Amino acid sequence: MYMQLDLLSPMPGCGNQLRYNLMEGPLRLRDMNTKLDVHCILFTDMLLFTKPSKRDRLKIIKPPIRIDSLSINEMKDNRKYVKV
């Protein structure tokens, strides 16, 4: 009720540039002491961490992360490390 996230609306601050889904898929998220299996959706301007809920819907479990605030580093064993 307090936050409305319209995924079809244009990106804020970019005129009328549309938001596109670049990639999506399963991922294991390690947060402090917990490990979660999540479904990530990468858009042109943000990254969403979601989890399946009832009736084939996805529930957002973390606030949307802006792409311009991410730093991605490749590790020695070819894994990717993302720092927000």
Side-chain angles (χ1 to χ4, degrees), residues 3-81:
M3 182 180 166
Q4 296 290 329
L5 179 63
D6 184 12
L7 295 177
L8 301 176
S9 66
M11 294 186 293
C14 296
N16 288 331
Q17 185 177 358
L18 296 177
R19 180 177 289 135
Y20 293 103
N21 182 350
L22 298 176
M23 187 181 290
E24 68 178 281
L27 184 75
R28 176 161 286 175
L29 178 67
R30 189 172 71 191
D31 188 21
M32 295 294 193
N33 297 327
T34 61
K35 293 181 182 177
L36 296 171
D37 290 322
V38 296
H39 187 83
C40 291
I41 305 172
L42 177 63
F43 291 99
T44 50
D45 64 332
M46 72 175 153
L47 175 65
L48 286 179
F49 292 105
T50 63
K51 203 162 175 78
S53 66
K54 296 178 183 177
R55 298 186 209 141
D56 296 329
R57 293 187 177 197
L58 294 173
K59 179 181 177 184
I60 298 174
I61 59 171
K62 293 229 178 246
I65 300 171
R66 292 179 52 121
I67 295 299
D68 58 359
S69 66
L70 291 179
S71 172
I72 302 172
N73 300 319
E74 190 166 347
M75 300 176 78
K76 291 179 182 176
D77 56 357
N78 293 332
R79 291 186 297 164
K80 304 278 192 239
Y81 176 72

